Amino acid sequence: MSVSVKSLLSILTSPGPHRVMRGNLGIAGQPGVVYTPEEGHNLPAVAFGHGWLAGAGNYRRLLEHLASWGFVAAAPDTERGPLPSHLNLATDLLTTLDICAGVRLGGGSISVHPDKLALAGHGMGAGAAVIAASQRKVGAVAALYPAPTAPSAEALAPQIDTPALIVAGGADISTGNCTAQALATAWGGPMSLRTVDKATHNGIVEGRRALAALGAAKYEPKTERITRALLVGYLSYQLLGDKKYQPFADPEADIPHTEAVDPEATEEPEPEHVSPLQLVQMARALRK
C-alpha cells in the first residue's frame, strides 16, 4: 500500500534518520557552512543561498534537516550587507557545489555524486540560485519565496530547462516583494509553483536579523516546517529518483497546508476600495 501524501508530509516535517555533522567551508576557501550526514558515499548535495540581510546561520534548522535526510547541505556566508551582489552570491553557490562534489568531507567518510547536485535559496538567494542555474546544469532548482534580483532571475528563466520547485507565501504571492509567479511563468523546464498557507516570505528565517527591528522579519515555525518538508520531498524525487515522493514535483498534486498555483491563470481583479479620505475628496470635487 502506498503512503499517502499527507503521511509523507508529516514524516518529512520531522528530522530524518541520519546523525548530522557540521563543517566549515572556509577551510576550502569559501566562507560558509556545510551540514552532512555522519557518513555516506555518492550523496546528493544542495547549495543554499540566504536572503537579504541574513546569513547562513539564519537557516540552521533547514540545513540540518536536509542533512538528517541524507543530503549534503552547504551555504555560502557572503553578500550579507545592505547592498549585496546577486551575481557574486550566484558565483559563491557554484563554488560551494564544486567544494561539495570535489572535496572529501568528514575526514573522507562522505562523498558527493557529481550528478546529484541542486541549487536552492530563499529571497534574493533564490534568485541567485536561478542565476547560478543559468550558468551550470544541475539536477534541480528550488526557489523559496523568491525576491527581485539584478540581473533578473525571471529574465534568465526561459533558458533553464532544469526541473524547479518554486514556493511562495500564501499571504504575499501577489506583492512586489515576491517574484514567484513571474519566475514560474518564465521557467523553461518542468516547474511546480506552490504556496504555503498563511505564510509570508520571511517565515523561514531563523533568529535575529537587521530587519527585525522594523517588524519586517518574523520567524514562522509552521512555515519553516512545511517548507523544509516540501524541499526534502522534491529533492528526494528529482535527485534520488524515489518515486514515492513524485507528488512533491507534481504541479497539480494536493499537498496539505499548501496550494498548487497555475502561473498562467488570471484572477479577476478585486474591486477597488475607496478610503474615507477619497470620499471626502470626491465630495469636495462635486461641490465645485
Side-chain angles (χ1 to χ4, degrees):
M1 181 182 295
S2 62
V3 181
S4 70
V5 177
K6 182 178 180 179
S7 296
L8 285 175
L9 185 73
S10 178
I11 292 169
L12 292 177
T13 57
S14 299
H18 298 278
R19 182 185 176 194
V20 176
M21 310 295 286
R22 182 186 185 278
N24 184 0
L25 288 177
I27 297 175
Q30 171 64 57
V33 295
V34 57
Y35 293 87
T36 72
E38 187 172 20
E39 59 183 5
H41 294 290
N42 293 320
L43 298 175
V46 186
F48 186 88
H50 62 77
W52 185 53
L53 290 180
N58 294 107
Y59 303 89
R60 178 184 59 82
R61 289 186 183 91
L62 179 62
L63 297 171
E64 286 182 342
H65 192 76
L66 284 165
S68 76
W69 282 98
F71 295 86
V72 171
D77 202 24
T78 55
E79 305 303 326
R80 298 178 56 178
L83 298 174
S85 167
H86 305 135
L87 277 172
N88 286 349
L89 183 56
T91 298
D92 291 339
L93 286 170
L94 294 177
T95 299
T96 297
L97 278 186
D98 287 339
I99 294 171
C100 291
V103 176
R104 281 290 182 123
L105 306 170
S109 61
I110 299 164
S111 67
V112 168
H113 196 291
D115 295 329
K116 298 178 181 177
L117 305 178
L119 289 160
H122 164 249
M124 74 166 192
V130 173
I131 295 170
S134 73
Q135 301 173 14
R136 183 182 306 178
K137 182 71 174 179
V138 292
V141 175
L144 310 179
Y145 312 91
T149 55
S152 163
E154 51 268 34
L156 297 170
Q159 62 184 279
I160 305 174
D161 59 5
T162 302
L165 171 67
I166 303 172
V167 178
D172 55 18
I173 186 173
S174 299
T175 66
N177 289 328
C178 180
T179 60
Q181 195 149 354
L183 184 61
T185 301
W187 199 260
M191 173 280 309
S192 176
L193 172 61
R194 192 168 293 276
T195 60
V196 175
D197 295 348
K198 299 180 181 179
T200 63
H201 64 282
N202 277 318
I204 68 171
V205 183
E206 308 162 25
R208 299 179 63 183
R209 55 190 295 223
L211 289 179
L214 302 176
K218 181 181 179 182
Y219 174 60
E220 300 164 2
K222 182 178 180 181
T223 296
E224 197 265 340
R225 287 196 303 271
I226 297 300
T227 302
R228 71 192 186 195
L230 292 175
L231 184 59
V232 171
Y234 183 79
L235 294 178
S236 294
Y237 176 72
Q238 296 293 0
L239 297 186
L240 301 177
D242 193 330
K243 293 184 179 179
K244 70 172 173 286
Y245 296 112
Q246 190 276 335
F248 290 86
D250 185 344
E252 299 179 355
D254 184 10
I255 300 178
H257 310 296
T258 76
E259 181 178 351
V261 179
D262 178 2
E264 302 291 344
T266 57
E267 298 182 355
E268 291 293 327
E270 294 185 2
E272 184 176 351
H273 296 284
V274 181
S275 69
L277 177 59
Q278 288 175 316
L279 288 173
V280 172
Q281 292 173 335
M282 290 169 61
R284 287 176 178 175
L286 290 173
R287 288 174 183 171
K288 293 181 179 179

